[in-house]
Amino acid sequence: MLGLRPVLRAARGSRPRWARPCSGRAALPPAEQASNQAKRLARRKGMTLQKSAGDPSKSTGGPLSMAGLVLSGLGMLGIYEVNEHPEGWLGRQYYGSPLDHALYFVFGGAWATFAKLFRPVQSKALRVWPDEYEGIPPGMPPPPVCLVGFEKTLVLPQWDALHGWRHVKRPGVDRFLKEVSQHYEIYVVTDQDRGIVEPAIISLDANRGTISGVVDCRCHKLERGKHYKQLDVINRDHRRVVFVDADPESLKNCLSNSIIVPEFENAMDVRDPTLHTVTDVLLQFVAENKSQDIPATLRQLGTNSSEELGLEIERRRSEIRARRRRGLVGSVAHSRQEDDATAGAGKEEQPRRSLLPSALELVGRAPDNSMEASLVEDQPKTAALDPRKDAPGKRPTGEKRKGGILKWYERMQEAEAERARAKEEKLNELYRKKQAEKLAAEQARTA
């Protein structure tokens, strides 16, 4: 079969496949191929020369283009400076100037339409009081509102290959929800959509009803991919609203109503006291009737940190306990002094009489010559001297012995006073540090 292929090819008059033209056209003569190659080289060389020399009308590296780049860079730098530092020199020169009014007139409408995309979608984040509540009598004022963060404040989200996403409760969550919900409306705040976190919130508040609702990302303001809490969407009295969150940056628009807590990052930390401290602080606000104006209360305390607020509340409680103990010990000591004084006065007025009958009472009065003997016998037997009364090394008879309860109260009072002094010193040190930081910041700003 192999020997028949040359014979068949010769019969067809065809050339081998490798000798045929690629496109089916006849091969050009060598002279024409050389001419075409020369034309291609000339054309390529002309393009290179044109790029190197260039047309002056189409030049991209002239002085005018460099000036345009410099002006564009300066303009972008000015826009950044005005937006980031509106109180700076350039911001004060721009805002309120004719350029500001002109740009707002030209671009204000379009920018307002575009800015709606970043504003909160809902104008009312909470349920309407009392229309959307059951069993609320008419005219009853709403309680204070506590908006607490979900991620890294109440729970810690964790993922593993076996179970997927799970939420670890922070120590003290159950006590926080149980006790604070008796005096506040509790709303959980999250940066995610309600449908994503609602199953976890329902399992966190199973069969108790301590959580009134969820404030999700639709009630936040979005800036550069960051969600910021807004106070103007909270449809309650803003003086009775408090935020509890671990992200201080997201609270920049409502910092006067906020308590900042440390982030919950270690799921194995079962001794985290943060939520216990926040619970004590919020309950203390209610006990002192300071939940009616929470911003004023936080300004009076001088801090938004939950740790410093806990120290201050504990210091005040220690002072109250110390005053109560001093009053109790003082009343006990005063009553004992009164009893001793009454007993002493009774002894002086009415000398103690012996319970045994005297000789006079038994046999009657003796004759006159035995009057002295009868007088001796008539004296009370209890007047005999006690040999232990004035023994050396013994406690004087007039000194009263303190009881064990009184000594215990005195020791407890001294220990509480010492702890109160230590906490007060620590708090004063924090205040001095904060005042120094404020002073340094003011000096840096004025410089």
Side-chain angles (χ1 to χ4, degrees):
M1 192 69 185
L2 293 175
L4 293 177
R5 283 184 179 179
V7 176
L8 295 174
R9 190 179 297 119
R12 289 198 304 264
S14 60
R15 292 177 295 175
R17 189 180 297 275
W18 53 269
R20 297 175 188 175
C22 296
S23 60
R25 295 177 299 179
L28 296 176
E32 190 174 353
Q33 292 181 4
S35 176
N36 291 340
Q37 187 176 3
K39 289 178 182 180
R40 286 195 297 269
L41 291 174
R43 190 162 51 248
R44 191 177 301 171
K45 185 177 180 181
M47 293 175 60
T48 306
L49 291 175
Q50 184 178 2
K51 285 185 179 180
S52 60
D55 190 359
S57 62
K58 300 181 180 179
S59 176
T60 58
L64 293 179
S65 62
M66 293 299 296
L69 290 174
V70 172
L71 291 177
S72 300
L74 292 176
M76 295 175 65
L77 181 61
I79 293 173
Y80 174 80
E81 180 68 21
V82 168
N83 290 330
E84 293 295 327
H85 305 91
E87 300 296 333
W89 179 84
L90 194 59
R92 293 195 302 268
Q93 298 295 326
Y94 170 74
Y95 287 109
S97 64
L99 179 61
D100 180 23
H101 294 296
L103 291 177
Y104 183 78
F105 178 77
V106 174
F107 301 103
W111 175 252
T113 305
F114 182 71
K116 290 181 180 179
L117 301 174
F118 302 95
R119 293 175 183 172
V121 177
Q122 295 181 352
S123 60
K124 295 181 179 180
L126 311 184
R127 292 190 289 172
V128 179
W129 180 277
D131 299 339
E132 299 183 10
Y133 291 81
E134 296 180 359
I136 303 298
M140 180 178 178
V145 179
C146 176
L147 296 107
V148 58
F150 185 63
E151 296 86 359
K152 295 188 177 182
T153 302
L154 291 181
V155 298
L156 177 64
Q158 284 189 338
W159 185 90
D160 55 22
L162 182 60
H163 302 92
W165 281 105
R166 293 186 299 174
H167 295 83
V168 181
K169 293 196 303 183
R170 192 170 197 164
V173 168
D174 297 331
R175 177 179 176 244
F176 174 82
L177 295 177
K178 181 180 179 181
E179 298 186 8
V180 175
S181 63
Q182 298 177 8
H183 306 279
Y184 293 80
E185 279 187 277
I186 298 180
Y187 282 83
V188 176
V189 184
T190 177
D191 295 343
Q192 303 180 21
D193 190 78
R194 181 193 299 266
I196 298 176
V197 300
E198 201 163 30
I201 294 176
I202 291 174
S203 63
L204 184 67
D205 186 36
N207 302 324
R208 284 181 291 180
T210 56
I211 298 178
S212 301
V214 181
V215 179
D216 60 356
C217 59
R218 294 176 295 176
C219 302
H220 300 164
K221 185 178 180 181
L222 183 62
E223 291 183 3
R224 299 178 182 177
K226 179 73 174 178
H227 291 269
Y228 293 94
K229 279 78 173 177
Q230 296 296 114
L231 190 61
D232 52 1
V233 299
I234 307 300
N235 49 324
R236 294 288 190 275
D237 186 3
H238 293 172
R239 295 176 302 174
R240 307 182 68 195
V241 176
V242 58
F243 288 85
V244 179
D245 206 285
D247 187 4
E249 186 180 357
S250 66
L251 299 171
K252 70 174 186 178
N253 297 328
C254 49
L255 192 59
S256 60
N257 294 69
S258 303
I259 296 177
I260 301 172
V261 300
E263 290 187 354
F264 181 42
E265 297 177 341
N266 185 10
M268 305 302 294
D269 186 8
V270 297
R271 298 183 178 180
D272 188 356
T274 302
L275 289 182
H276 294 288
T277 302
V278 174
T279 302
D280 295 338
V281 169
L282 295 177
L283 296 181
Q284 189 69 22
F285 287 173
V286 175
E288 297 181 2
N289 198 20
K290 292 185 177 181
S291 60
Q292 305 298 323
D293 195 350
I294 291 177
T297 303
L298 293 177
R299 285 195 300 270
Q300 180 184 2
L301 295 173
T303 181
N304 294 88
S305 173
S306 62
E307 298 175 344
E308 297 179 7
L309 288 173
L311 288 174
E312 176 65 19
I313 296 299
E314 185 62 27
R315 186 183 67 82
R316 294 187 178 188
R317 288 183 175 181
S318 300
E319 290 181 355
I320 293 174
R321 288 194 293 266
R323 285 198 298 268
R324 289 178 179 176
R325 288 196 179 94
R326 285 197 296 269
L328 180 60
V329 173
S331 62
V332 171
H334 183 67
S335 62
R336 287 193 174 188
Q337 290 177 1
E338 289 182 352
D339 295 342
D340 295 343
T342 305
K347 286 180 180 180
E348 292 178 0
E349 294 176 359
Q350 299 179 359
R352 180 177 294 180
R353 182 180 177 85
S354 176
L355 297 178
L356 299 177
S358 62
L360 181 63
E361 295 174 347
L362 290 175
V363 299
R365 185 176 295 277
D368 296 338
N369 56 358
S370 61
M371 182 64 66
E372 294 180 0
S374 63
L375 291 177
V376 171
E377 290 184 359
D378 195 33
Q379 292 181 358
K381 294 182 179 181
T382 56
L385 294 177
D386 188 0
R388 296 175 300 172
K389 176 184 287 187
D390 299 328
K394 297 292 182 179
R395 177 175 50 86
T397 308
E399 183 181 351
K400 301 296 292 182
R401 181 180 180 183
K402 292 184 179 180
I405 296 178
L406 187 61
K407 290 182 179 180
W408 177 78
Y409 270 123
E410 290 179 353
R411 289 196 301 270
M412 290 295 296
Q413 179 182 354
E414 293 176 358
E416 287 293 336
E418 184 66 26
R419 283 196 292 268
R421 283 195 296 269
K423 290 183 179 179
E424 186 175 1
E425 290 177 359
K426 186 176 180 180
L427 189 61
N428 292 333
E429 183 179 356
L430 290 174
Y431 284 163
R432 286 194 297 269
K433 184 179 178 180
K434 186 177 296 183
Q435 292 294 333
E437 292 177 355
K438 289 182 179 179
L439 182 61
E442 291 179 357
Q443 292 178 354
R445 192 182 303 109
T446 54

